[in-house]
Amino acid sequence: GLLYDQNILSTDDAAYQSFQAGKLSPYDLMIQKIQSLEITPAQLALDPCSGSMVVVDPDSGEVRALVTYPGYDNNRLANQMDTAYYNQLYNDLSTPFYNKATQQLTAPGSTFKPVMVAAGLNEGVIDENTIINCDGLFGEGLVSSTDQLRCWYSPGHGDLNVVSGLANSCNEFFCTIGYRLGLNAEGEFVQDDAISKIQMYASMFGLDQDTNLQISESSPHVSDELPIPSSIGQGTHLYTTAQLARYAATIQTRGTSYDLNLLDKVTDSSGNVIEEYSPQIANQSQFSDAIWDDIHEGMRGVIQNNATFSDLPVELYGKTGTAEESRNRPNHALFIGFSHYGEEQEDIAFAVRIAYGYSSGNAAVAAKDMLSYYYNLEDETEVLTGTADSEGLTTAVTD
């Protein structure tokens, strides 16, 4: 009743009449209004109620899309400000003024695992023929109990090589790499040595740098403790969605990391060019083609193992991530990737994050919708339906 009294919902519909007559329960009314987006996740401020996506040209760093949800109408805040609208946004518990794409920092979860592939192969602690057996639990009898971690697949994946380890996002496989990175000449595990190697390789992918976007951006933080959980994207890693998009682009280009760029040029009121922006290389990492091949093949395997993309006719490479931040709230859902489809559309790299979105599978669904829209695989009305869609959504952790 309060939603109608406050004019949040319109009384000029059949649902109101049914509600007043007692034919529609308050619960069913709320579900109906959420599905029709008359009540949005942002208004509810329940988990999840926010998200972000950044899409870039991997060969230049030019931003093709930068989305933060919930958004707002800038026009109502310009010139003669709509003060009531501003106050509504300011008090909104989903914090629409906070840019989730460039300012929100969370752990990357398993999207970090391609870094560990490069670290393990380049340091020689594994090679293409190395087999690691996953029995569902890492660390038993090796390190302290605080470093014992379970694989997301509790029965264990069995024997894996580097490609299948990445394709299956096996926690035990990557914890083993992190452990081996910290072994000294006497075969003793030194935590500081392991975390130092992880930091070095994260830097090679540009994850320790701002993207240099022309808007406010939070600085990244490469994990500086807990090397075993850091190996699977936990520890104290913190990155924005924009930084993860550039990371995905760096993987696509096999090591070339560009500054991200929102602007083409700046002119004065007469149209005279004050400044033009061109691609700027921020970082260049040198790994062998064999290492890049293994990373790409593993990321292609992620897609082939994921039913969400089974009918997508796009050459897509991706990595899922489910990152835990709080034991009292759901995990963050992440997905990074890059794609190629035909010769008419340019390749893109991207990152998606749904804060407290339960499972990476939900970020993958959002990525698929973006790809369908970008490559014109479906009619726009099939992608942008104007209603809430629960198809494919999950709480299952698979990475």
Side-chain angles (χ1 to χ4, degrees):
L2 285 174
L3 295 174
Y4 287 108
D5 292 344
Q6 295 173 7
N7 296 318
I8 294 173
L9 295 176
S10 171
T11 59
D12 189 23
D13 64 13
Y16 178 70
Q17 303 303 325
S18 296
F19 174 66
Q20 287 291 89
K23 298 178 181 179
L24 189 65
S25 71
Y27 174 83
D28 289 334
L29 174 69
M30 288 291 290
I31 293 297
Q32 187 181 118
K33 295 304 183 183
I34 290 169
Q35 288 177 333
S36 65
L37 296 183
E38 292 175 75
I39 299 175
T40 67
Q43 287 174 306
L44 295 171
L46 299 175
D47 292 330
C49 69
S50 66
S52 57
M53 179 183 298
V54 178
V55 182
V56 304
D57 178 350
D59 296 315
S60 69
E62 293 181 5
V63 175
R64 296 291 176 244
L66 191 152
V67 179
T68 175
Y69 177 86
Y72 55 90
D73 185 353
N74 284 318
N75 295 315
R76 296 176 64 177
L77 304 179
N79 301 320
Q80 188 172 356
M81 180 181 286
D82 183 337
T83 54
Y85 182 58
Y86 173 84
N87 288 330
Q88 174 191 329
L89 295 172
Y90 182 81
N91 292 306
D92 192 322
L93 295 178
S94 61
T95 59
F97 286 140
Y98 183 61
N99 190 318
K100 311 301 190 301
T102 64
Q103 293 177 295
Q104 186 179 47
L105 293 162
T106 71
S110 293
T111 64
F112 188 76
K113 288 173 179 174
V115 172
M116 296 304 295
V117 170
L121 291 171
N122 205 53
E123 291 295 316
V125 300
I126 61 168
D127 60 34
E128 288 187 330
N129 299 314
T130 298
I131 299 296
I132 294 173
N133 180 270
C134 170
D135 62 3
L137 176 65
F138 169 82
E140 192 171 20
L142 288 178
V143 290
S144 72
S145 60
T146 58
D147 283 326
Q148 290 183 8
L149 291 175
R150 294 195 176 276
C151 188
W152 65 266
Y153 186 59
S154 57
H157 288 100
D159 289 346
L160 297 170
N161 63 18
V162 65
V163 171
S164 59
L166 184 57
N168 287 283
S169 197
C170 175
N171 287 345
E172 188 165 356
F173 189 96
F174 288 95
C175 288
T176 301
I177 293 177
Y179 174 75
R180 292 182 181 180
L181 289 174
L183 292 177
N184 63 17
E186 289 73 39
E188 300 167 329
F189 178 62
V190 182
Q191 296 231 10
D192 288 348
D193 291 351
I195 203 69
S196 178
K197 290 284 179 60
I198 291 170
Q199 291 175 328
M200 180 174 72
Y201 280 90
S203 177
M204 291 180 183
F205 284 81
L207 283 170
D208 61 338
Q209 303 172 21
D210 291 354
T211 67
N212 291 322
L213 280 163
Q214 293 93 352
I215 57 177
S216 297
E217 175 183 17
S218 298
S219 293
H221 178 77
V222 180
S223 189
D224 53 9
E225 57 182 281
L226 305 172
I228 301 303
S230 296
S231 300
I232 58 172
Q234 292 287 164
T236 59
H237 288 293
L238 291 171
Y239 309 107
T240 68
T241 309
Q243 288 152 10
L244 292 175
R246 184 173 69 171
Y247 163 55
T250 302
I251 298 172
Q252 194 273 354
T253 61
R254 295 175 172 249
T256 303
S257 180
Y258 289 92
D259 284 343
L260 297 191
N261 184 26
L262 284 165
L263 302 179
D264 176 40
K265 60 185 176 182
V266 176
T267 67
D268 62 20
S269 57
S270 300
N272 300 309
V273 175
I274 299 173
E275 185 174 1
E276 288 188 291
Y277 294 88
S278 58
Q280 299 292 322
I281 294 177
N283 193 63
Q284 182 77 56
S285 57
Q286 300 290 338
F287 298 121
S288 70
D289 284 341
I291 289 177
W292 289 118
D293 288 344
D294 286 341
I295 292 173
H296 284 205
E297 187 178 350
M299 291 178 70
R300 184 67 181 141
V302 170
I303 302 304
Q304 293 166 338
N305 289 343
N306 194 316
T308 296
F309 302 107
S310 60
D311 60 346
L312 191 72
V314 174
E315 185 182 338
L316 177 63
Y317 302 77
K319 187 68 201 77
T320 53
T322 305
E324 181 181 342
E325 181 176 322
S326 168
R327 294 187 181 275
N328 301 319
R329 301 182 74 178
N331 297 328
H332 301 305
L334 301 105
F335 186 83
I336 66 167
F338 53 92
S339 59
H340 173 77
Y341 185 64
E343 302 306 322
E344 294 184 5
Q345 293 271 23
E346 66 182 16
D347 296 347
I348 55 172
F350 57 88
V352 181
R353 173 167 44 213
I354 304 173
Y356 307 105
Y358 288 90
S359 166
S360 61
N362 300 328
V365 169
K368 182 185 179 183
D369 284 344
M370 179 274 292
L371 292 164
S372 296
Y373 180 85
Y374 178 75
Y375 289 118
N376 298 311
L377 302 177
E378 295 182 69
D379 187 89
E380 181 177 320
T381 58
E382 294 294 317
V383 180
L384 306 176
T385 63
T387 60
D389 184 5
S390 60
E391 183 179 354
L393 301 186
T394 180
T395 59
V397 175
T398 57
D399 50 31

